[in-house]
Amino acid sequence: MTESVEKTERYSERYDVVVIGSGLAGMTAANILGRMGHKVLLAERHYKLGGLATWFRRGEHIFDVSLHGFPVGMIKSCRRYWNKEIADRIVQLPRIKFDNPQFSLTTTFNREDFTRLLVEKFGLSLETVKAFFDEAREQTHYADETRTTRELFDKYFPNRPDVARLLMEPITYANGSTLEDPALTYGIVFSNFMSKGVYTFQGGTDLFVKMLRDELLRNNVDIALNAPVERVLVENGRVVGVKFAERPPQVVSPEIGGVTRAVSPLAGRVVQTKTVLSNANLKGTIFNLVGREFFDKEFVAQAEAVRLNNSSVQVYIALKPGETLDEDKCGDLLFTSVAPEFRADWLLSRNITSRTYSFYYPKTRPGTDRYYIVASSNANYEDWANLSDEAYETSKRDLIETTLDALEKYVPGIRSKIAYVEAATPKTFREYTDHWLGASFGTKYEGLAVSRTLHEKIAGLFHAGSVGIIMSGWLGAVNYGVICANDLDAYLVGITAQKQ
């Protein structure tokens, strides 16, 4: 699948909105605003759309980046803000498996089945479980931000680290949250999954991104690939344009024949715009794209205090033709660990003890008979950033080998079945997305307030990224894009009204 954008070979000098970055939030906002009739330019620094929700090709093999499981609410959001064809391809992953020293089980990952497991397998009272689910579901942005997830668990499940592991481990993989983060950041995401389980897009991320691109073009959104924005231009406290970099980053990928992509026609140009929606990293938006000199000292201090979230490492595995996976043994998503208990620092350690496997069967990609596996672990950027080239390559090879060692338990003889294997690290995600520290989930919760008030500091400047944990993941990104699209539309309508 190519990402042709024939309709946008010639670009305008002026737009109502420039969206910087084509993650799911940026694309969704661009689509809605285009549908509303605004003149929109979607600018992406990479040579393909999707941000962290993307894919890559190695010869005949296509891999989804990351583990794509999301709540059922994605169906409604895609139907409403994209189209019915996209929504109709979202299907449930019915077998979510856990295997660790404290327990092994399979679940449909919804409230009914979790209640059964917590009562029958973990020996909790039905009343306690019901009360916990009810309180988790009642969490909102206006809840008590000082209470931690650990305190929420201690209220209902004191001295039960096994229960905390069951409830927490998948959410940590879903959005990077820890036991010390605000309880509301856990409760909102957990309750979304508990409604009806875990879902994915049937056909793979390559088809998903293609369908999003086609819808963007239908709604007259101009798309510029390989077109990094160097600067957001501000005059008198108001956005007036963007300046594109003279040349894009020199990313050399085997996917495009080991050569760099052609320079965008927008390279070095200034495009005038009334508004900018940054889908870039929050700190990168403030300190790189705009510049601290355009904000008051109090806001700069608030932005500097925002903590970035963690990154991840991933191993992508393609099986040879004719090789299969045991669906009963592997499931759809498999959360594994050899650690004696759940601890966030162990999840981030270079000495990996916990991995999550996403298994791709032919039914996941109709039309193919091949099987694929993506293994993922949380990681710290600092553990990879300062390695020498030689040490870095050695560490990547070690990541692959230790992952295959761990996978042997679930796929016996895995090494003899492999057609292709490759690894990504926090440096990989930093290179392709320009996220500070390669952050997979943006910022911690305090980033949400900074993101949401950006337009109050500079008129016409908005942000939609992975912030505050609760906005992480596919569904969170889409819905944050919706929120920002409505904000931008109101701002643009207000400008028009003032001129009349």
Side-chain angles (χ1 to χ4, degrees), residues 80-388:
R80 184 170 182 180
Y81 304 113
W82 287 98
N83 60 45
K84 182 178 182 297
E85 290 71 27
I86 292 172
D88 286 348
R89 282 188 167 270
I90 295 175
V91 297
Q92 187 175 11
L93 297 174
R95 290 172 299 186
I96 313 301
K97 301 179 75 71
F98 294 78
D99 186 28
N100 59 65
Q102 291 176 293
F103 55 83
S104 293
L105 57 85
T106 302
T107 175
T108 52
F109 209 80
N110 55 28
R111 176 167 178 167
E112 180 181 5
D113 199 46
F114 258 45
T115 298
R116 176 187 63 81
L117 289 168
L118 289 169
V119 172
E120 296 178 2
K121 188 175 181 68
F122 292 82
L124 300 171
S125 72
L126 180 60
E127 293 75 16
T128 297
V129 174
K130 182 179 184 302
F132 167 77
F133 273 106
D134 288 345
E135 182 162 349
R137 186 177 58 192
E138 291 169 0
Q139 299 293 309
T140 71
H141 297 288
Y142 307 103
D144 177 11
E145 298 175 16
T146 63
R147 186 173 57 156
T148 66
T149 303
R150 185 186 300 278
E151 290 170 331
L152 174 65
F153 287 172
D154 286 345
K155 175 180 178 180
Y156 292 99
F157 317 116
N159 303 314
R160 291 299 302 268
D162 55 339
V163 175
R165 185 177 210 156
L166 173 68
L167 298 174
M168 190 68 197
E169 204 160 53
I171 307 305
T172 298
Y173 274 104
N175 67 5
S177 61
T178 71
L179 288 170
E180 309 312 323
D181 286 313
L184 70 92
T185 67
Y186 170 82
I188 293 174
V189 176
F190 178 73
S191 296
N192 282 339
F193 278 110
M194 285 293 101
S195 61
K196 288 189 178 180
V198 182
Y199 288 72
T200 194
F201 185 85
Q202 188 178 53
T205 311
D206 54 323
L207 177 61
F208 178 68
V209 170
K210 177 184 181 300
M211 294 178 75
L212 297 183
R213 180 207 65 192
D214 291 347
E215 182 69 11
L216 286 164
L217 295 177
R218 277 193 290 270
N219 288 315
N220 298 310
V221 174
D222 285 354
I223 300 172
L225 299 176
N226 211 39
V229 171
E230 182 177 80
R231 199 76 171 174
V232 174
L233 305 178
V234 178
E235 293 180 4
N236 300 318
R238 184 182 300 273
V239 167
V240 296
V242 297
K243 169 72 163 57
F244 286 87
E246 291 285 349
R247 298 190 66 82
Q250 298 298 297
V251 176
V252 179
S253 170
E255 184 174 29
I256 53 176
V259 298
T260 55
R261 192 79 171 191
V263 176
S264 168
L266 289 171
R269 284 179 51 183
V270 170
V271 170
Q272 298 176 26
T273 182
K274 301 173 184 176
T275 61
V276 164
L277 173 61
S278 173
N279 192 203
N281 177 271
L282 177 61
K283 288 199 167 189
T285 298
I286 295 170
F287 298 120
N288 290 356
L289 291 177
V290 180
R292 66 180 62 227
E293 65 271 21
F294 291 98
F295 300 95
D296 61 68
K297 291 183 179 180
E298 182 179 351
F299 185 78
V300 167
Q302 188 180 4
E304 287 178 332
V306 173
R307 296 165 296 161
L308 293 169
N309 220 315
N310 61 271
S311 187
S312 64
V313 292
Q314 295 174 8
V315 177
Y316 310 97
I317 304 165
L319 271 56
K320 296 176 182 177
E323 297 289 355
T324 63
L325 295 168
D326 184 340
E327 295 190 33
D328 290 331
K329 190 170 187 177
C330 296
D332 295 300
L333 280 175
L334 172 60
F335 295 92
T336 71
S337 180
V338 295
E341 61 181 312
F342 172 84
R343 277 179 39 180
D345 58 332
W346 288 350
L347 286 179
L348 293 168
S349 172
R350 276 287 303 276
N351 180 25
I352 297 173
T353 56
S354 300
R355 293 176 173 84
T356 299
Y357 300 99
S358 184
F359 295 99
Y360 292 81
Y361 304 105
K363 64 183 179 182
T364 313
R365 290 181 181 275
T368 180
D369 60 354
R370 303 295 288 274
Y371 292 73
Y372 295 88
I373 305 168
V374 177
S376 181
S377 299
N378 291 352
N380 284 313
Y381 181 79
E382 293 83 359
D383 289 336
W384 293 86
N386 299 317
L387 297 175
S388 67

Side-chain angles (χ1 to χ4, degrees), residues 47-88:
Y47 54 77
K48 61 171 54 180
L49 300 172
L52 285 168
T54 193
W55 57 281
F56 66 94
R57 181 190 298 275
R58 294 293 183 266
E60 63 179 322
H61 307 296
I62 295 177
F63 297 98
D64 288 1
V65 174
S66 192
L67 309 171
H68 296 325
F70 38 79
V72 68
M74 189 73 172
I75 297 176
K76 180 179 179 181
S77 291
C78 283
R79 181 178 294 115
R80 184 170 182 180
Y81 304 113
W82 287 98
N83 60 45
K84 182 178 182 297
E85 290 71 27
I86 292 172
D88 286 348

